[in-house]
Amino acid sequence: MIVEQDRFRIRGGFAISRGKRTHAHVVTVTLSDGDLSGRGECTPYARYGETVESVVGLIEELRPGVEAGTITRETLQTALPAGAARNAVDCALWDLDAKRQGVSVASLANVPEPQAIETAFTLSVDTPEAMAKVARDNRHRPLLKVKLAGDGDLERMKAVCSHSGDARIIVDANEAWSPANVWDWLGEAEALGIELVEQPLPADQDAILEHKPHPIPVCADESAHDRAGLSSLEGRYDFVNIKLDKTGGLSEALHMRDQARAMGFGIFVGCMMGSSLAMAPAALLAGGADYVDLDTPLLLDEDRETPLTFKDSLLFPPSRDLWG
């Protein structure tokens, strides 16, 4: 097992409500049986108490079992908790197991082969004027996802919506709104024609969303991690954002998607800031999803040697040289 720390430069930097980054810091796991190898990537996320060092440490604890062959996709689910570390190992195991059997990961997982699919294009938090310019430059894209930050969000939403042409708009507050303003701001978003608001409230303050109907659909992100928490979201959210770094890999993500759909939630497939290697497994979840947000390779100045292919906002399935 090879565990590496990689950095990918973000074009112009990227800001959300919790701060700005200039690079995507990821952990890459490569598993080999001597002839074949599989890879997985994860992005440690400080919001969930993760650092690159802590994630590498958790993965290294598995080394004896991985190298002895006792860590499989099944045993991994209890060997590590849901989170970034398990994601990297899980995706590497899927890649390696598929190569050993001479099939695609989609075939191994018994899901449809991924097809070209439309992804959102994300606008970083900035001044209303700067965000209006980015919206205008990308108004040819079908779907824009707008990052928000709390103070000034009404002006940001109005600026983007007035310069986005025919593009559909969704917004992501990243927990930056409050119970005092959430209903007014959801109403403003509805009036602007915005389709969906992602995680408007801090995860520990979202119970208020149960109290009355939502003017527009609301999607859980920081409040939604894996299947175990879905029941607590009923009545509060209309959609759940499934990210492999939260679920702890493709294995749990597939189960979470199916259970969430059966419970009546809309499906949003998202990602952390990572390279094409991180997006490739998530592409298997995207078929049939209501919203897909796997655009981070479009935001990078550098990527994997064999990156994903995009045509504007159309994401094509990964090549086997990348993953899967």
Side-chain angles (χ1 to χ4, degrees):
M1 179 173 71
I2 300 172
V3 184
E4 300 172 290
Q5 301 178 31
D6 295 311
R7 286 161 49 100
F8 297 93
R9 188 172 60 253
I10 302 169
R11 188 178 305 111
F14 189 80
I16 66 171
S17 63
R18 284 185 282 272
K20 183 173 182 178
R21 288 182 290 168
T22 60
H23 290 76
H25 298 257
V26 307
V27 176
T28 307
V29 172
T30 304
L31 305 179
S32 177
D33 64 4
D35 298 317
L36 302 170
S37 62
R39 298 188 299 167
E41 176 188 311
C42 70
T43 301
Y45 200 44
R47 169 65 178 81
Y48 305 133
E50 298 172 334
T51 66
V52 169
E53 294 74 21
S54 70
V55 165
V56 169
L58 285 172
I59 295 170
E60 287 292 349
E61 289 178 8
L62 294 181
R63 182 177 292 277
V66 170
E67 296 183 348
T70 59
I71 295 295
T72 65
R73 285 184 280 115
E74 291 74 23
T75 61
L76 177 65
Q77 304 310 305
T78 54
L80 282 179
R86 196 175 79 190
N87 177 33
V89 179
D90 185 69
C91 291
L93 284 167
W94 275 105
D95 195 22
L96 179 58
D97 288 347
K99 288 174 179 174
R100 283 170 168 164
Q101 297 186 36
V103 298
S104 68
V105 172
S107 176
L108 189 62
N110 196 30
V111 298
E113 293 289 340
Q115 304 295 316
I117 194 162
E118 173 191 296
T119 177
F121 182 81
T122 307
L123 279 63
S124 175
V125 169
D126 209 325
T127 65
E129 295 76 18
M131 295 180 77
K133 181 183 184 305
V134 179
R136 186 166 57 249
D137 292 344
N138 289 279
R139 62 187 182 276
H140 62 285
R141 298 182 184 274
L143 179 65
L144 299 180
K145 175 175 172 175
V146 181
K147 290 287 189 177
L148 300 174
D151 290 344
D153 280 351
L154 295 183
E155 291 74 17
R156 291 184 181 98
M157 289 191 291
K158 290 175 182 177
V160 168
C161 289
S162 62
H163 290 83
S164 56
D166 293 329
R168 297 154 49 221
I169 305 294
I170 58 178
V171 301
D172 182 5
N174 281 118
E175 304 183 282
W177 294 2
S178 74
N181 65 31
V182 66
W183 296 114
D184 288 341
W185 287 13
L186 286 173
E188 293 279 0
E190 178 194 30
L192 289 168
I194 291 168
E195 291 188 8
L196 174 143
V197 176
E198 190 178 345
Q199 197 67 43
L201 295 169
D204 60 357
Q205 298 179 35
D206 62 3
I208 191 176
L209 295 174
E210 293 182 19
H211 294 171
K212 60 182 180 181
H214 308 154
I216 61 174
V218 179
C219 178
D221 183 3
E222 285 84 353
S223 292
H225 291 261
D226 56 15
R227 283 176 290 171
L230 284 174
S231 61
S232 68
L233 306 180
E234 289 188 290
R236 299 185 186 185
Y237 293 95
D238 309 289
F239 286 76
V240 292
N241 188 336
I242 302 174
K243 296 178 179 177
L244 272 61
D245 278 316
K246 293 189 300 177
T247 65
L250 180 62
S251 298
E252 173 62 20
L254 290 167
H255 290 305
M256 183 180 180
R257 180 195 62 182
D258 293 344
Q259 183 168 320
R261 186 175 285 153
M263 294 172 68
F265 289 107
I267 304 300
F268 191 124
V269 175
C271 62
M272 303 301 188
M273 183 64 71
S275 79
S276 285
L277 179 58
M279 304 305 112
L284 269 69
L285 292 172
D290 300 281
Y291 292 95
V292 176
D293 177 25
L294 300 176
D295 67 330
T296 59
L298 295 174
L299 309 177
L300 300 178
D301 266 336
E302 49 195 356
D303 201 349
R304 299 288 177 177
E305 184 175 342
T306 305
L308 287 168
T309 299
F310 291 83
K311 182 178 181 182
D312 290 330
S313 292
L314 193 65
L315 166 62
F316 289 88
S319 72
R320 299 292 170 83
D321 289 336
L322 175 62
W323 187 88

